[in-house]
Amino acid sequence: MTGVPSAQELSGLYDRTRAELDSPKPNHNAVKTQLSQLKVGLVKIALHNAQVELDPRFQLTKRSILEMGAEFSIKTGDIAAFERYIAQLEVFYYDHKHGLADSKVMYPLVGLNLLRLLSENLIADFHTTLERIDLAQLQSNPYIVHPVKLEQALMEGSYKKVWQARAEVPTPEYLFFMDILMATIRNEVASCAEKSYSSLPFDDAKSVLFFTSMDELLRFAQERRWAVSPSEKRITFPSTAENTRMFQGETIMKQTLAYARELERIV
């Protein structure tokens, strides 16, 4: 688009971008280019006519473009871009709203942002966001209830509940941040295991680290430079001065291992 686009041109470009993003095999480069054109178009229109900011139709188009950008960011794993889109959408979701009805994707996106905050250990920001959400939604909206319960499990140190929550996501998009969170938990548990034990059998290590296959465990062991003995089916951790049975994390480690074994029996 050259010059100041008309509302019809902007709407047409939005529809084409939306259709491409929703296609079975979207062209991400095309979507990225068109999103940039849409955002530039919004700026051009606002600069050309400041009064357009008072038009609910313009604000609805603007919100829809930002929401599509946030969705695209998750699909492409661009966390920084997702954060920027959410920051712009907060005006529509919590502040002025510009006379618009709530968006149908508001709470899925807010829930995704709550998961992002948890995965980055931004607990204060997590609770600040919760304070801006209606109490009824906190208690009943599945997109919000899921991260709230997840945060409670993290505060309890119940990694089993966190792992189970992965199978209870309200939408597949939540798996993106759930996997980041689980990767963080695995590394914390692995560090604890290294200090609590000299070695662990394959099955115990697989369970306590919440892996679903032995291949995943062996790849993880290689990344952490653990010694692997296929004949003994055992992983041996590097010996350090911190490896002592007096390590404070031993009790936590035993509890985590017990939870993992219990989960294996249930599943």
Side-chain angles (χ1 to χ4, degrees):
M1 292 182 295
T2 58
V4 180
S6 66
Q8 185 176 4
E9 288 175 323
L10 200 67
S11 177
L13 180 57
Y14 171 85
D15 289 341
R16 292 194 297 276
T17 309
R18 181 75 263 176
E20 181 63 40
L21 186 58
D22 291 340
S23 65
K25 295 183 179 179
N27 184 329
H28 286 170
N29 288 332
V31 173
K32 184 176 181 179
T33 298
Q34 292 169 353
L35 268 172
S36 295
Q37 293 173 344
L38 285 166
K39 289 184 289 184
V40 169
L42 288 172
V43 172
K44 286 182 176 180
I45 291 175
L47 289 175
H48 179 71
N49 178 14
Q51 294 300 312
V52 76
E53 293 286 356
L54 303 176
D55 186 345
R57 291 172 298 179
F58 176 78
Q59 294 299 334
L60 178 60
T61 299
K62 184 176 181 180
R63 186 181 72 180
S64 297
I65 291 172
L66 294 174
E67 288 174 335
M68 184 166 59
E71 179 184 342
F72 178 68
S73 300
I74 293 297
K75 289 182 180 295
T76 56
D78 191 339
I79 298 176
F82 176 76
E83 185 177 358
R84 291 193 296 270
Y85 279 115
I86 289 296
Q88 296 176 78
L89 283 167
E90 285 180 347
V91 176
F92 293 94
Y93 292 167
Y94 306 123
D95 300 330
H96 306 300
K97 294 192 177 183
H98 301 282
L100 303 178
D102 284 348
S103 166
K104 65 179 182 179
V105 299
M106 171 182 173
Y107 289 109
L109 287 176
V110 171
L112 275 168
N113 189 50
L114 287 170
L115 278 183
R116 176 188 69 83
L117 295 172
L118 285 180
S119 70
E120 296 177 359
N121 199 31
L122 298 174
I123 305 303
D125 292 340
F126 178 90
H127 286 281
T128 298
T129 301
L130 289 184
E131 290 173 1
R132 307 182 75 181
I133 300 173
D134 183 75
L135 180 60
Q137 300 296 334
L138 284 175
Q139 296 174 337
S140 62
N141 191 301
Y143 298 105
I144 305 301
V145 170
H146 182 272
V148 168
K149 289 185 175 179
L150 195 62
E151 191 260 350
Q152 292 171 348
L154 287 169
M155 293 302 100
E156 295 169 1
S158 180
Y159 295 155
K160 181 182 72 169
K161 290 181 180 179
V162 176
W163 174 245
Q164 290 173 329
R166 190 185 184 282
E168 300 168 352
V169 293
T171 178
E173 285 75 17
Y174 276 44
L175 292 175
F176 175 69
F177 287 118
M178 283 298 302
D179 287 343
I180 293 175
L181 184 58
M182 284 307 305
T184 301
I185 288 174
R186 282 193 183 102
N187 281 310
E188 290 180 357
V189 172
S191 296
C192 189
E194 290 171 342
K195 297 177 177 69
S196 300
Y197 297 95
S198 59
S199 66
L200 279 176
F202 279 179
D203 287 341
D204 284 351
K206 174 174 166 284
S207 296
V208 78
L209 291 167
F210 301 103
F211 284 122
T212 57
S213 73
M214 198 59 66
D215 286 342
E216 290 175 327
L217 171 65
L218 296 179
R219 283 196 299 269
F220 186 78
Q222 185 177 23
E223 291 171 3
R224 297 198 60 105
R225 299 182 179 179
W226 292 340
V228 176
S229 174
S231 60
E232 297 180 2
K233 295 185 178 181
R234 179 172 288 273
I235 287 175
T236 301
F237 304 120
S239 178
T240 68
E242 292 180 310
N243 281 15
T244 169
R245 301 301 290 179
M246 296 302 292
F247 176 64
Q248 292 181 351
E250 181 185 357
T251 301
I252 297 174
M253 193 62 212
K254 284 184 176 179
Q255 290 174 349
T256 304
L257 186 53
Y259 286 146
R261 286 170 174 161
E262 178 188 348
L263 182 60
E264 286 287 309
R265 287 196 299 270
I266 294 173
V267 175

